Amino acid sequence: MAGIGFELKKLLNDDSWFGLLKTYTYAGAISSGPWVLSILGIMLIGIISLASQNTADIWINEFLVSVTWLMSFSLVLSSLLQLVFTRFMADQIYLKKKHIILPNFLSALALITLVSGTIASLLWLTLFSRLDFLYNLFMLMSFVLLCNVWLAVIFVAGMRRYKAILEIFFISYVSIVLLSLVLKSLGTQGLLLSFMLGHAILFLSLLTMIFQEFEADKLFSFDFLKKKNIYLILIPIGLFFNLGVWIDKWIFWFLPSTSDPVNDVLRASIIYDLPIFLAYLSIIPGMASFLLRVETDFVDKYKSYYKSVNGGETLSEIEDKRTNMTLSIQNAYLEIIKIQGVTLLLFFVMAKDIIQWLDLSPLYIHLYYVDLLSTAIQVLFLATLNILFYFNLLKQALWLTLGLFVLNALFTSLSILLGPAFYGYGFAVAIFMTTIIGMYVLSEKLNRLEYITFMLQR
């Protein structure tokens, strides 16, 4: 997210209530806008299709579940390259070697296309072989497209084109909704085709931006995989983070006692899936606060601290800068807690109305409460992970993401054994424990930052 602070500071110069609202709206849109548009777009397709065809319940459900599986597994697979390539790109920009970025990006796309295409093809020939040809074809193409999209979005974010990302996502998902209106008569295959075409528009738009920004003297290069350029630890960090976020959903999907078959392959958990996805919509204010405070106040203090270190200032001056930086982190946490806390209370109050408006069973309410709390805590987890990356504390980030994955799998399995009254508590306990541990580790590292800065350099 380097560079977003400049835009936010411009908006903060307007200290009126409207200026503050505009700043938080912009920060919220940038931090979670594309993801929110994705959820709302897919839900809107389901709502429109169901409203226009009463007999469409079965294939609408198949489409929504198929898309959820596509999103989930494409995020996990592409996470193997996302952080690695992001770090490579940042290093090359710092070294003023922008000309080698585009060939490496194209190579990364080719690699993820080959791997995702191979995996999808093998699944088509084995588990999905009994399903419709067009269904399998659109699933394969959508999976490969999504894996490429996630990598391209990271690349464009590195170009500081945040507004453009939001605009492209909006256009693409509006296209998906409009195409679904035209193609819905073809059933699940028609909706999957609209989903695939919309993401093709998204991917081609991102590629256009990238080719406009970067030049290259050759087509392909695999410098990002060379030993001197690759940070191997980033691979498991990205993988365990995404596994940690999705493992509870997977457990509910794969266990027959907590899920129902959708077709001959895919399953869905009716009781678990919808509340957690609805709860994620509540984190927008917290994400806006996180982005605003970390990318403005903290980044300034962070730069000031390391400028004093590199500039040879006295130890007392460096300690003062470190204290100011620590206070900026504490203030960021406090603001996230306050804003997300107020948001949490509002959603708690509106929970019954939301469930009733969506015509859902009242049995969802308790799980929705738990999921709202879990997603609120997840904002603090993301803030902690982000700051660990700033200080290059990659081993700590690895243990934190691994802990989330293991604890979520363990506690989710335990919650299922305990019964429906405990559903959702697995993820809640896992994210709470890892967040507290992460904040404690970060605090300890900040208290010893001078020692780490000067004594542990190699």
Side-chain angles (χ1 to χ4, degrees), residues 299-333:
V299 167
D300 285 342
K301 304 298 189 299
Y302 171 88
K303 290 180 179 178
S304 179
Y305 172 78
Y306 282 102
K307 184 178 180 181
S308 68
V309 170
N310 295 325
E313 295 185 11
T314 65
L315 181 59
S316 62
E317 290 173 327
I318 292 173
E319 287 177 340
D320 288 340
K321 298 290 177 61
R322 192 259 297 170
T323 300
N324 291 334
M325 182 173 59
T326 302
L327 288 174
S328 71
I329 294 174
Q330 291 175 354
N331 291 333
Y333 277 123

Side-chain angles (χ1 to χ4, degrees), residues 135-151:
Y135 174 85
N136 284 335
L137 177 65
F138 296 150
M139 285 285 284
L140 183 149
M141 296 179 70
S142 296
F143 181 67
V144 174
L145 262 175
L146 284 172
C147 288
N148 281 274
V149 163
W150 304 139
L151 196 59

Side-chain angles (χ1 to χ4, degrees), residues 370-421:
V370 177
D371 289 338
L372 284 170
L373 183 60
S374 304
T375 52
I377 297 172
Q378 188 174 336
V379 179
L380 293 173
F381 178 86
L382 290 170
T384 304
L385 198 60
N386 188 297
I387 296 171
L388 288 175
F389 280 132
Y390 265 105
F391 291 110
N392 211 35
L393 298 171
L394 300 183
K395 288 183 180 179
Q396 289 74 18
L398 173 60
W399 284 111
L400 202 61
T401 53
L402 176 60
L404 177 62
F405 167 57
V406 173
L407 291 177
N408 194 8
L410 177 64
F411 290 132
T412 296
S413 300
L414 181 61
S415 70
I416 292 174
L417 290 175
L418 293 174

Side-chain angles (χ1 to χ4, degrees), residues 247-268:
I247 188 63
D248 55 314
K249 291 81 173 171
W250 290 359
I251 291 173
F252 271 87
W253 293 349
F254 288 119
L255 286 179
S257 61
T258 57
S259 63
D260 297 293
V262 176
N263 52 35
D264 287 339
V265 180
L266 304 184
R267 303 182 67 88

Side-chain angles (χ1 to χ4, degrees), residues 1-16 19-20 22-24 26-27 30 160 162-163 288 291-304 328 390:
M1 296 301 291
I4 188 63
F6 296 113
E7 294 291 332
L8 295 173
K9 286 173 188 174
K10 291 178 185 177
L11 294 172
L12 281 173
N13 289 332
D14 183 356
D15 57 0
S16 66
L20 190 63
K22 185 168 63 174
T23 304
Y24 273 95
Y26 178 70
I30 295 301
R160 303 176 182 178
Y162 313 106
K163 289 182 181 178
L291 180 63
L292 185 62
R293 291 305 157 205
V294 170
E295 297 299 331
T296 54
D297 297 346
F298 166 70
V299 167
D300 285 342
K301 304 298 189 299
Y302 171 88
K303 290 180 179 178
S304 179
S328 71
Y390 265 105

